[in-house]
Amino acid sequence: MRNSKAWIIWLVTTTGIILSNRNPFYLSFLLMGLLTLGSKLAREKHQKSWVLNNIRFLVTMIFLSALINVLFTHRGDSLFFNLPESWLLIGGRITFESLIYGVINGLVIGSLYIAFNIFNLALNVKQITALIPKIFHPIAITISIALTFFPSVQQRARDIKEAQLIRGNQMKRIVDWLPLLRSAAHHKP
Amino acid sequence: MRIQKTRSFLIDLLVFLLGFLSLLAPFLFQGARYPGFSQSAFPIMVSLIIFLCLTIIIFEAQSSLSDSKMIALLGVLIAINAGLRFLENAIPGPAGFSPIFFLIILVGYCFNGRVGFLMGAMTMLVSALITGGVGPWLPGQMITAGWLGQSSAVLRRLVTALGWKDKPLEVLFLAGFSAVWGILYGFIMNLWFWPFLASSPGMGWSQSTSLAENFQGYLAYYIGTSVVWDVTRAIGNVIIFTVMARPVIKILSRFIQRFTFTRQEVIQR
């Protein structure tokens, strides 16, 4: 059992370091550290594709952020080419500096995402729920009920889907899921 | 009783203003942005302020859960809504479509603003816990979904005042409201990250420009990055409300009947 308070301190510190840093080298080192820690925790939980999924997200974020910045930010001296000024929003200078700015933003966003993913890996739902202070006891009970009832909702969704599929209904329409709410209204524990 | 209601309303209003102003800081306060560190720290500062607002409003709102039946009912409804989030993949909706807004609006509409707020905020929290989606975006998601549920309670009064209860106009009104919030949700959530992601004079946040110019910049950023996603969410909301609102309002009314009974002492003569 991991100490949840220690993990909260780890998360706050890591988030602070990520957000106060715009140096791509430091961010890359930090990312490598995060991925190593994450892969160790993921191995313990038998999540084989954790590292790959996170790298995929990171690459997507870097690509999207770079694309948004290079198209919409027209600052910088190192010119790639010019887009016609008449083109709405994207018209103007396409520069190397805006591309790099986007890549760094992508690195920051990706690092934040991975840090929180590690936090989610390190602690289970019960430990995170236990962090709710005692003064919020009605909320804590409500969340506990919701988390306890959730598998039952999933089971009912599966039952409804199976029953409808047997009748030849492919469950393609929104209205097909209405029985899920009906069944919850008549739920007997 | 009246003093308590006024106090609760004032606290809600104050917290709303605090949360909303923290999101609007780039527009309103020139000193909110400095190059370098502060710009990077903006999302986390907003998250912390929003977290503070959430703590206050949840502490206040939980007083409406003093009844054990209400706690159980809300827990079940949150579980259903978190389950609906999983159905996003199963239901072939448009890109930004999410069925969770449907139940948040209807709970706020059928019960009251505080229960609606808790429904919205807790749905986001529980679904984040289940999916492992706890992140810096969570406080923003929780408070925005909470405002969605809270604002739905106003509709009830409007519908009753206009005499649209149990009429087709009631569903149309709700569908229109859900469409507006489909866009507003994305619009508010983007504010959290906009100063961080966009930096151009045309789209970004600039300390030297006026409120109107900054707002224009935000609009350009929003149109360029999010409007398609949010419009599809709004369309999805309208579809789901048109198809399912009437039967679900009946189900929730049944919930209210079953869970809001009060015990009365019978005096035997």
Side-chain angles (χ1 to χ4, degrees):
Chain A
M1 180 73 82
R2 292 193 174 91
N3 188 322
S4 38
K5 282 174 188 159
W7 275 97
I8 288 278
I9 293 168
W10 175 86
L11 183 69
V12 172
T13 315
T14 312
T15 310
I17 293 169
I18 293 168
L19 286 171
S20 59
N21 202 336
R22 308 290 296 179
N23 186 317
F25 296 106
Y26 292 156
L27 282 172
S28 304
F29 287 135
L30 191 70
L31 257 171
M32 277 192 273
L34 288 174
L35 286 171
T36 312
L37 176 62
S39 68
K40 187 181 175 298
L41 292 172
R43 261 203 307 276
E44 283 174 17
K45 295 208 165 186
H46 308 291
Q47 294 188 12
K48 287 177 184 169
S49 55
W50 188 90
V51 176
L52 201 65
N53 286 342
N54 279 279
I55 290 176
R56 204 178 291 153
F57 176 83
L58 180 71
V59 172
T60 313
M61 272 323 294
I62 291 171
F63 174 75
L64 280 177
S65 178
L67 187 73
I68 289 171
N69 265 281
V70 86
L71 283 177
F72 295 106
T73 308
H74 307 294
R75 283 177 179 169
D77 301 323
S78 316
L79 184 72
F80 281 137
F81 54 90
N82 275 306
L83 287 176
E85 292 287 344
S86 56
W87 290 10
L88 186 68
L89 298 174
I90 59 169
R93 294 158 58 81
I94 301 295
T95 63
F96 177 70
E97 284 82 354
S98 57
L99 179 79
I100 292 298
Y101 186 86
V103 169
I104 293 172
N105 266 350
L107 273 175
V108 172
I109 297 164
S111 306
L112 269 181
Y113 177 79
I114 292 170
F116 274 90
N117 258 353
I118 290 171
F119 178 77
N120 288 319
L121 264 182
L123 300 181
N124 58 35
V125 175
K126 196 178 164 190
Q127 283 174 300
I128 299 176
T129 316
L131 287 168
I132 299 171
K134 281 179 186 170
I135 200 162
F136 291 105
H137 61 90
I139 296 298
I141 294 169
T142 310
I143 292 171
S144 300
I145 291 170
L147 291 170
T148 313
F149 195 73
F150 181 74
S152 170
V153 172
Q154 274 188 314
Q155 184 57 46
R156 272 168 186 265
R158 276 194 291 270
D159 291 346
I160 290 163
K161 192 174 181 183
E162 274 175 26
Q164 297 288 338
L165 285 172
I166 289 166
R167 292 181 183 126
N169 184 351
Q170 294 299 310
M171 303 294 286
K172 295 279 184 194
R173 293 173 306 151
I174 292 165
V175 73
D176 296 333
W177 291 97
L178 190 58
L180 179 64
L181 291 165
R182 287 226 171 99
S183 71
H186 298 281
H187 178 73
K188 288 189 184 82
Chain B
M1 189 72 177
R2 197 177 174 84
I3 294 169
Q4 200 176 356
K5 270 191 174 178
T6 313
R7 181 183 151 273
S8 299
F9 173 75
L10 285 175
I11 288 172
D12 284 359
L13 188 70
L14 197 70
V15 173
F16 171 77
L17 287 175
L18 184 63
F20 208 58
L21 281 178
S22 69
L23 287 167
L24 293 179
F27 299 118
L28 302 175
F29 311 116
Q30 282 199 336
R33 186 193 183 191
Y34 294 98
F37 179 79
S38 293
Q39 187 187 353
S40 307
F42 181 81
I44 213 77
M45 281 306 294
V46 170
S47 288
L48 286 174
I49 295 170
I50 296 285
F51 182 74
L52 180 71
C53 295
L54 261 176
T55 312
I56 298 166
I57 202 160
I58 288 175
F59 181 73
E60 267 299 303
Q62 69 177 0
S63 61
S64 60
L65 295 181
S66 53
D67 185 0
S68 59
K69 296 190 290 289
M70 202 61 217
I71 290 177
L73 170 62
L74 194 63
V76 171
L77 286 171
I78 290 166
I80 293 169
N81 218 16
L84 284 175
R85 207 169 189 187
F86 277 80
L87 296 182
E88 280 178 24
N89 297 327
I91 302 170
F97 170 72
S98 176
I100 59 164
F101 297 98
F102 170 69
L103 211 51
I104 295 171
I105 291 174
L106 285 188
V107 166
Y109 178 72
C110 292
F111 291 87
N112 59 56
R114 291 233 152 148
V115 176
F117 183 90
L118 288 175
M119 178 73 191
M122 294 299 118
T123 294
M124 290 300 171
L125 179 62
V126 168
S127 56
L129 287 174
I130 292 165
T131 56
V134 177
W137 50 84
L138 186 61
Q141 283 184 334
M142 283 174 70
I143 205 159
T144 314
W147 286 337
L148 162 68
Q150 198 168 24
S151 60
S152 312
V154 181
L155 290 191
R156 183 86 176 173
R157 291 184 182 178
L158 276 173
V159 166
T160 313
L162 292 166
W164 291 349
K165 187 93 184 72
D166 298 326
K167 289 179 182 168
L169 274 173
E170 183 188 22
V171 174
L172 283 177
F173 193 50
L174 282 167
F177 179 79
S178 74
V180 171
W181 261 105
I183 292 168
L184 208 57
Y185 183 81
F187 198 83
I188 295 172
M189 281 304 295
N190 270 1
L191 279 172
W192 172 74
F193 224 71
W194 164 61
F196 186 65
L197 205 61
S199 65
S200 78
M203 291 175 76
W205 174 28
S206 173
Q207 201 179 353
S208 55
T209 52
S210 67
L211 169 68
E213 281 171 313
N214 267 331
F215 189 70
Q216 271 181 349
Y218 178 65
L219 272 184
Y221 171 76
Y222 180 74
I223 291 167
T225 58
S226 314
V227 76
V228 176
W229 189 264
D230 289 350
V231 166
T232 50
R233 183 197 290 131
I235 294 168
N237 280 353
V238 170
I239 294 169
I240 200 166
F241 263 88
T242 314
V243 176
M244 289 177 75
R246 177 64 59 213
V248 175
I249 289 172
K250 276 187 187 167
I251 292 169
L252 288 178
S253 304
R254 183 173 158 76
F255 268 141
I256 294 168
Q257 281 174 359
R258 286 179 73 176
F259 288 96
T260 55
F261 65 87
T262 49
R263 192 168 62 92
Q264 284 184 331
E265 295 285 340
V266 178
I267 301 164
Q268 300 219 337
R269 290 173 187 242

